[in-house]
Amino acid sequence: MASRNQNKPPVPRNPVTKNRATDDGPLDKRRRVGTDRLTAATSSSRGRQALAPMNNQKDVPVAPSETEATETEIIEFTKEEVEALLNERFKPKTKFDTKAKQEWMTEYIKKLKVCIKWFQKGLQELAEEKDKLRETLDSSEKKCLETEAAMKNKEEELNAIISKLETKVSCLNESLAKEESEKLDALDSHKREKEARMASEKTQDSLREELGRAEQNLLTANEKVKTQEDMYKRLQEYNTSLQQYNTKLQNEVKVATDANKHLEKEKSAILENHTTLRGHYSMLQKEFTSAKESRDDAVKQKEAAKREVDILRGELQQVREDREKQLLRVQELTSELKTCKEYTGRTVAEIDNLILKSSALEDTCSSQREQISLLQSQLAAATQKLKMADMSSSEIRTEYEEQKRIVSDLQDRLKDAETKLLEGENLRKKLHNTILELKGNIRVFCRVRPLLPDDGPTTEATVSFPSALELAGRGIELYQSGQKYPFTFDKVFDHSATQQEVFMEISQLVQSALDGYKVCIFAYGQTGSGKTYTMMGRPDAPLQKGLIPRSLEQVFQTSQALAVQGWKYKMQASMLEIYNETIRDLLSPRQITGGAEGGGGAGKQYTIRHDADGNTFVSDLTIVDVCSIREVSSLLQQAAHNRSVGKTDMNEHSSRSHLVFTLRIYGVNESTEQQVQGVLNLIDLAGSERLSRSGATGERLKETQAINKSLSSLSDVIFALAKKEDHVPFRNSKLTYLLQPCLGGDSKTLMFVNVSPDPSSVGESLCSLRFAARVNSCEIGIPRRQTIKPLDSRLSCG
């Protein structure tokens, strides 16, 4: 019997058969061996194998017989044992060993029955498990339907809330637009009234000047008339005085001639008297001689004669004195006569001259009379003009009073408008920030540059813009190999969009930097897609200035406009580039210019650090205080000159580094004692490109690898933020570590994805748009306004 059972396959045993007696024979041994193999297989495998045991029974009381054991217990099989059982064939030792074959068949049928029972048990358990799974599936589907219904209800509620919020936002936008229109109308009316007031003031000033000139001319004319009248009176008086003097001179000449005649008569009388005196003297001498002869006789007569002689002597002396006086008088008269003759000659000459002068004066007087009549006519006209000017001045004065009243009313309205403007500005800031906070993610704008002559030939458009109303200005479609890829962003600019139109969409975001928020705007895209043109523009063309100079112009213009409201701003600027994972200071005077073309150089080692408020600082970075757009323009030119650029097969002047411009804004309102600190980051990323297309070798190859590595790190950070992972790999590159507060903090962030319509760049454009769509779905922190006075003068990139 033992020899017959040598060809039997080993029968698997249940662990129950371990306690069976040893007199069961070789079958029990084989079962024991199969059980050992089954146990080893079960313990070595972690999960249930195919055709593995469905249940593990523990110790069961030993059956009294083998037949009962086969009916009550379930023997478990392995896949190998089932295959061995199915492949088992009888191998007789002799040709006609039917008994052995019968025994083998009986034993084989028993094994098959046991295996079938095991299969049936497994199928039953599988059916039960299937029913359980179906029940679980039904319950889960029911729960899913309930959850879907609840989610649908929740979604409807949220849609209702969103619609309410949108209507509210639209109402607020309309009110803001109305306020802005009223503000503009008030400003225009104020401007017109101011111009009218200035025009009226100019007219009044001109009229006043004309009136003053007319009055002055009138005064001068009156003075001239008075002077002419005075001169005419003086000339008449002088003429009458000359005539009187002439008559006086003539009378004096007559008197002098009469006196001269009288003097000649007196002289002749004196001469006659002298002759008579001489005769009398001779008579006296004769009498004296006769008296001497009769001296003795006439002593008494002598005394009388002496007395008479003395008297006569006295008289003679008196006569002599009179004569001398008369002689002196005659001399004086002769001298006076000579002077009179001379004076008379001079007087005659003067009279002739005066006659000539009087004739000239008469001519002058006639001309003066004509001038006086002309001046009188002019005076009458001036008087008429003065009356008209008085009337117009009275009208102007009434108009001025009316304009003054209107101006006072307008000033009151302007004050009210200014207060409303301040309230509207505060409301605008709140609404603007509320909208961005409700959005809660990074905003993404897309811009498609126009086709250039260097682009490859194209037969069909690779980029299109949907015309549907809900996607107008927000949708873009890319075609590759006949397949359409649609994308939707916050704003899409086609190839005809100007730099001014692009800037108008971000002007409110730039305003947030003055309001005390962190703002980050960066451009992303492949090489040659127009990133540097979007950010920097062309400095030689004023209409093609990029976002960076336009943003800075708005910042300075708005800061000057806010000075009326009491705001004072201080601004600091810095510029750096990340080239081959190395930070370079573009404003440092020791910076080695030339970039990639010049080979660069190993400068300072700059380190990046973040503080608890989310601000980012770069050690030893050059910080410049700026006060005007001219200073910032010179800094931009210096940075553009120092930036690393190079030539590749895709672009002649390709940016080989990431440019980061940072403007720190610190504002103080003296009236409200409010302090704000804002940061404006404007970033021009290097272009992503494939090595197969760029043809980079040597130093360009290293640059391309560093650029692609940093952009790959940026995509890893965006994907981690999109999946809301616990760990975001900001430290994988200098770029992502520098932008950590903008991507994962409380900053207002905007990304420009630039797309090239070149058919050969469809693959890169598709990758850029997919990356931008992933960025648009990321959620970052809510923007927070900084109103704390900074303790450090270092600039922050966050």
Side-chain angles (χ1 to χ4, degrees):
M1 192 70 181
S3 63
R4 291 178 181 176
N5 293 330
Q6 288 178 358
N7 295 325
K8 295 180 180 179
V11 179
R13 292 185 59 194
N14 200 315
V16 180
T17 59
K18 289 184 179 180
N19 297 324
R20 191 172 289 178
T22 58
D23 55 352
D24 290 338
L27 180 62
D28 296 334
K29 291 181 180 179
R30 291 191 184 98
R31 286 183 178 177
R32 198 175 293 120
V33 173
T35 305
D36 294 336
R37 285 185 299 174
L38 179 62
T39 307
T42 305
S43 62
S44 63
S45 62
R46 295 183 179 179
R48 182 165 58 88
Q49 302 291 333
L51 300 176
M54 295 297 295
N55 55 354
N56 293 323
Q57 297 180 357
K58 295 188 178 179
D59 295 338
V60 180
V62 181
S65 64
E66 187 175 355
T67 304
E68 295 176 3
T70 57
E71 293 177 356
T72 58
E73 67 182 7
I74 301 301
I75 300 175
E76 297 177 354
F77 291 83
T78 62
K79 184 177 179 182
E80 291 82 7
E81 290 173 347
V82 172
E83 288 177 353
L85 181 61
L86 294 174
N87 294 326
E88 186 178 356
R89 295 292 181 269
F90 177 72
K91 295 179 181 179
K93 290 184 178 181
T94 59
K95 191 174 181 180
F96 300 102
D97 194 359
T98 57
K99 187 177 182 180
K101 186 177 181 180
Q102 186 179 3
E103 290 177 355
W104 178 82
M105 288 294 291
T106 305
E107 190 68 28
Y108 187 74
I109 288 168
K110 288 181 180 179
K111 293 177 183 177
L112 287 175
K113 286 181 179 180
V114 172
C115 187
I116 288 168
K117 286 183 179 180
W118 175 71
F119 269 113
Q120 290 175 351
K121 183 69 173 176
L123 289 172
Q124 186 179 359
E125 290 177 354
L126 283 173
E128 293 175 357
E129 189 174 358
K130 185 178 179 182
D131 294 334
K132 291 180 181 178
L133 288 173
R134 185 174 284 114
E135 291 175 358
T136 307
L137 182 61
D138 293 335
S139 62
S140 63
E141 285 179 352
K142 194 173 182 180
K143 288 181 180 177
C144 227
L145 290 173
E146 293 175 355
T147 307
E148 283 180 356
M151 289 298 289
K152 198 171 287 183
N153 295 329
K154 189 71 174 178
E155 187 178 3
E156 291 176 355
E157 292 176 358
L158 290 174
N159 287 327
I161 293 170
I162 288 170
S163 63
K164 289 179 181 178
L165 288 174
E166 286 178 350
T167 53
K168 188 174 181 181
V169 168
S170 63
C171 293
L172 290 173
N173 285 326
E174 289 176 356
S175 63
L176 179 61
K178 288 180 181 178
E179 291 290 336
E180 288 179 350
S181 63
E182 289 178 357
K183 171 190 169 184
L184 292 174
D185 294 335
L187 290 175
D188 291 335
S189 62
H190 176 64
K191 189 176 180 180
R192 289 195 297 271
E193 289 163 359
K194 188 176 181 181
E195 290 175 354
R197 184 180 66 186
M198 291 176 68
S200 64
E201 288 178 354
K202 287 181 179 178
T203 308
Q204 188 176 2
D205 292 334
S206 63
L207 288 174
R208 284 178 181 172
E209 290 176 357
E210 289 179 0
L211 182 62
R213 286 195 295 269
E215 289 177 352
Q216 190 173 2
N217 292 329
L218 182 61
L219 290 174
T220 53
N222 290 327
E223 288 176 358
K224 285 181 179 180
V225 169
K226 288 180 180 179
T227 52
Q228 292 296 332
E229 289 177 352
D230 294 333
M231 187 179 289
Y232 182 71
K233 288 178 180 179
R234 284 197 300 272
L235 286 173
Q236 287 180 348
E237 290 174 358
Y238 187 70
N239 195 4
T240 53
S241 63
L242 284 175
Q243 290 177 357
Q244 291 174 0
Y245 187 69
N246 192 5
T247 53
K248 185 180 179 182
L249 285 175
Q250 290 177 357
N251 295 325
E252 285 180 354
V253 168
K254 289 180 180 179
V255 170
T257 52
D258 294 333
N260 194 5
K261 291 178 180 178
H262 183 67
L263 286 172
E264 285 178 353
K265 288 179 180 181
E266 286 181 352
K267 183 179 179 182
S268 61
I270 289 168
L271 287 173
E272 289 176 353
N273 191 13
H274 188 265
T275 54
T276 55
L277 286 173
R278 280 185 179 177
H280 185 65
Y281 179 68
S282 62
M283 285 174 67
L284 287 174
Q285 281 182 351
K286 288 177 179 178
E287 288 177 0
F288 180 66
T289 55
S290 63
K292 274 184 178 180
E293 291 175 347
S294 59
R295 183 177 181 179
D296 295 330
D297 298 328
V299 176
K300 292 180 181 179
Q301 292 180 358
K302 184 180 179 181
E303 291 176 357
K306 284 183 179 178
R307 288 193 294 269
E308 289 178 1
V309 168
D310 292 330
I311 293 166
L312 288 171
R313 284 181 179 175
E315 290 178 356
L316 181 63
Q317 186 68 30
Q318 185 69 32
V319 169
R320 285 179 179 175
E321 290 177 358
D322 293 334
R323 190 188 66 179
E324 287 178 357
K325 289 180 179 178
Q326 291 294 330
L327 288 173
L328 291 172
R329 179 69 179 168
V330 168
Q331 289 177 355
E332 290 177 356
L333 288 173
T334 52
S335 61
E336 286 180 0
L337 182 61
K338 288 180 181 178
T339 55
C340 285
K341 287 181 180 179
E342 292 175 357
Y343 186 73
T344 303
R346 287 196 302 272
T347 304
V348 171
E350 286 179 357
I351 287 169
D352 295 333
N353 293 327
L354 286 173
I355 291 169
L356 295 174
K357 286 181 181 180
S358 64
S359 62
L361 284 172
E362 286 177 356
D363 297 334
T364 306
C365 286
S366 62
S367 63
Q368 289 292 333
R369 286 192 191 95
E370 294 176 357
Q371 289 181 0
I372 286 168
S373 62
L374 181 62
L375 287 172
Q376 285 176 351
S377 62
Q378 290 179 357
L379 181 60
T383 307
Q384 191 68 23
K385 285 184 181 180
L386 185 60
K387 290 179 181 179
M388 297 293 291
D390 289 334
M391 293 173 64
S392 61
S393 64
S394 63
E395 292 176 358
I396 289 170
R397 190 172 290 107
T398 55
E399 289 179 1
Y400 175 70
E401 294 295 333
E402 184 68 22
Q403 292 290 335
K404 191 174 181 181
R405 185 182 61 78
I406 293 171
V407 166
S408 63
D409 294 338
L410 287 174
Q411 285 177 352
D412 296 335
R413 288 173 60 187
L414 181 62
K415 289 180 181 178
D416 297 336
E418 286 178 352
T419 55
K420 290 181 180 179
L421 181 62
L422 290 174
E423 295 174 357
E425 184 70 17
N426 295 327
L427 182 61
R428 181 200 62 78
K429 291 178 183 178
K430 291 180 181 179
L431 290 175
H432 176 66
N433 296 316
T434 303
I435 291 170
L436 292 180
E437 288 171 5
L438 287 174
K439 190 172 180 64
N441 60 356
I442 302 176
R443 302 180 68 191
V444 177
F445 287 178
C446 177
R447 187 179 189 184
V448 181
R449 71 163 175 83
L451 280 170
L452 301 177
D454 298 335
D455 294 337
T458 177
T459 58
E460 58 182 6
T462 58
V463 177
S464 66
F465 305 95
S467 58
L469 184 61
E470 64 273 7
L471 295 177
R474 297 180 61 246
I476 183 173
E477 295 173 349
L478 191 69
Y479 296 92
Q480 184 183 25
S481 302
Q483 189 174 359
K484 182 173 71 173
Y485 297 93
F487 296 94
T488 304
F489 300 105
D490 294 299
K491 184 68 178 177
V492 175
F493 299 97
D494 58 8
H495 56 84
S496 63
T498 62
Q499 297 281 62
Q500 179 65 22
E501 292 175 356
V502 174
F503 175 71
M504 289 302 293
E505 291 293 331
I506 69 162
S507 59
Q508 294 297 323
L509 193 63
V510 176
Q511 175 65 33
S512 298
L514 283 169
D515 295 341
Y517 290 89
K518 301 173 187 174
V519 177
C520 178
I521 303 173
F522 63 94
Y524 177 85
Q526 69 178 88
T527 300
S529 60
K531 299 183 303 301
T532 304
Y533 176 76
T534 299
M535 299 303 291
M536 299 295 294
R538 294 179 182 174
D540 54 346
L543 296 178
Q544 298 184 13
K545 291 185 290 186
L547 299 182
I548 293 179
R550 289 177 186 271
S551 300
L552 298 175
E553 286 179 0
Q554 179 183 349
V555 167
F556 284 105
Q557 290 174 0
T558 310
S559 63
Q560 292 175 1
L562 290 176
V564 181
Q565 302 177 9
W567 284 97
K568 290 185 178 180
Y569 288 94
K570 177 183 178 183
M571 302 179 190
Q572 295 177 325
S574 71
M575 295 189 74
L576 59 89
E577 69 171 352
I578 301 176
Y579 174 75
N580 284 348
E581 287 299 310
T582 303
I583 295 178
R584 289 183 174 182
D585 187 2
L586 296 179
L587 300 182
S588 175
R590 298 185 300 273
Q591 173 70 31
I592 300 175
T593 60
E597 294 292 344
K604 282 187 177 181
Q605 295 296 325
Y606 300 94
T607 58
I608 304 170
R609 60 186 179 88
H610 306 289
D611 61 3
D613 295 331
N615 296 318
T616 301
F617 302 97
V618 180
S619 62
D620 297 329
L621 191 66
T622 301
I623 300 168
V624 181
D625 292 332
V626 290
C627 301
S628 64
I629 186 63
R630 185 178 300 175
E631 297 178 359
V632 180
S633 300
S634 63
L635 296 180
L636 291 176
Q637 292 178 1
Q638 179 183 354
H641 180 68
N642 293 336
R643 190 179 180 187
S644 302
V645 295
K647 180 179 179 182
T648 65
D649 293 346
M650 297 181 67
N651 194 358
E652 179 124 6
H653 298 283
S654 175
S655 301
R656 315 304 296 165
S657 64
H658 307 298
L659 174 69
V660 180
F661 175 83
T662 303
L663 183 70
R664 170 66 65 84
I665 303 169
Y666 175 64
V668 178
N669 195 328
E670 296 179 349
S671 59
T672 61
E673 297 183 356
Q674 188 179 7
Q675 299 178 355
V676 295
Q677 178 185 353
V679 179
L680 179 62
N681 292 311
L682 302 170
I683 302 167
D684 181 15
L685 298 178
S688 61
E689 57 188 15
R690 289 182 294 181
L691 294 175
S692 60
R693 292 198 62 202
S694 64
T697 58
E699 190 68 25
R700 296 289 178 274
L701 178 60
K702 294 181 181 178
E703 294 171 355
T704 304
Q705 290 174 347
I707 291 169
N708 291 337
K709 180 183 177 183
S710 61
L711 294 177
S712 177
S713 300
L714 180 61
S715 64
D716 293 340
V717 167
I718 295 297
F719 294 157
L721 289 172
K723 294 178 181 178
K724 296 183 180 180
E725 296 181 356
D726 295 335
H727 173 67
V728 180
F730 287 110
R731 292 180 177 268
N732 287 356
S733 71
K734 293 285 182 66
L735 176 64
T736 55
Y737 192 51
L738 186 68
L739 298 180
Q740 181 177 354
C742 304
L743 299 175
D746 53 1
S747 175
K748 295 183 180 181
T749 306
L750 171 66
M751 185 183 86
F752 266 97
V753 55
N754 294 82
V755 178
S756 171
D758 187 5
S760 59
S761 303
V762 175
E764 286 82 0
S765 300
L766 185 59
C767 293
S768 299
L769 291 174
R770 284 174 175 168
F771 175 72
R774 183 64 65 90
V775 170
N776 203 14
S777 64
C778 291
E779 294 183 359
I780 62 175
I782 297 175
R784 180 171 54 89
R785 191 180 188 188
Q786 288 190 337
T787 58
I788 302 174
K789 187 175 181 180
L791 299 177
D792 195 353
S793 63
R794 283 286 167 189
L795 282 171
S796 167
C797 292

